Amino acid sequence: MSDAANFPAEGPLLALDPGEKTIGVAVSNAARTVITPVETIRRMKFTADAARILALFDEFSCTGLVIGWPINMDGSVGPRAQSARALGTNLKRLRDLAIHYQDERLSSDKAEDRLRAAGKKRDEIERVIDAHAAAIILEDAIEALNA
């Protein structure tokens, strides 16, 4: 399920929070101690989405990709999780990437809670929540990788 064992010990990681309409993106620094929400990609066709994802991967000199895996609360795999897996599979067809799928249950809720606590208004939250959810997914993945 995961190529995380193939991740180099250091180097930036790119994280994706794939949704039906958008893909949130976050990145870590090389030491994986600082995580930054980057942007929210409006989904179009796979080729355009993949081009942007790979451009960001290269821009930040990433060594691995973390994809949020939206399994159901009961742990079962539904259509959203299958879609996230397909995204990773299709990206691997374009480039040999080390990919780790990270359980992302409640990541959007955590992101919204953090943004509200920071005093962000509803319209601003809606613009940035996906990238912030990707940051939480990346935090969880780095913690799991270091365990």
Side-chain angles (χ1 to χ4, degrees):
M1 175 170 119
S2 174
D3 294 336
N6 297 328
F7 283 1
E10 290 186 352
L13 298 176
L14 193 75
L16 306 177
D17 177 25
E20 288 181 32
K21 298 178 183 175
T22 61
I23 301 171
V25 183
V27 69
S28 73
N29 64 342
R32 301 180 186 164
T33 55
V34 177
I35 297 167
T36 306
V38 175
E39 71 178 68
T40 300
I41 299 169
R42 281 253 164 245
R43 289 189 98 153
M44 295 185 275
K45 293 188 175 184
F46 172 75
T47 51
D49 299 345
R52 184 64 187 142
I53 291 165
L54 293 174
L56 290 167
F57 190 90
D58 293 341
E59 178 182 335
F60 292 105
S61 303
C62 293
T63 59
L65 181 65
V66 174
I67 298 177
W69 200 40
I71 57 177
N72 296 322
M73 291 305 286
D74 66 2
S76 64
V77 176
R80 290 183 59 234
Q82 291 170 348
S83 177
R85 174 75 65 179
L87 175 64
T89 299
N90 290 329
L91 287 169
K92 276 186 88 69
R93 286 187 181 132
L94 297 176
R95 189 181 298 176
D96 186 23
L97 301 169
I99 297 176
H100 171 73
Y101 295 91
Q102 179 63 41
D103 181 351
E104 67 155 85
R105 286 179 279 189
L106 303 176
S107 62
S108 292
D109 291 336
K110 289 179 191 174
E112 185 172 351
D113 289 348
R114 285 185 186 178
L115 290 165
R116 284 189 192 287
K120 303 297 181 192
K121 303 247 186 279
R122 182 180 186 88
D123 61 330
E124 187 175 1
I125 290 172
E126 289 176 10
R127 283 194 311 275
V128 301
I129 192 164
D130 295 322
H132 283 263
I136 289 171
I137 291 165
L138 188 49
E139 286 174 16
D140 292 346
I142 289 170
E143 186 177 309
L145 294 170
N146 291 334

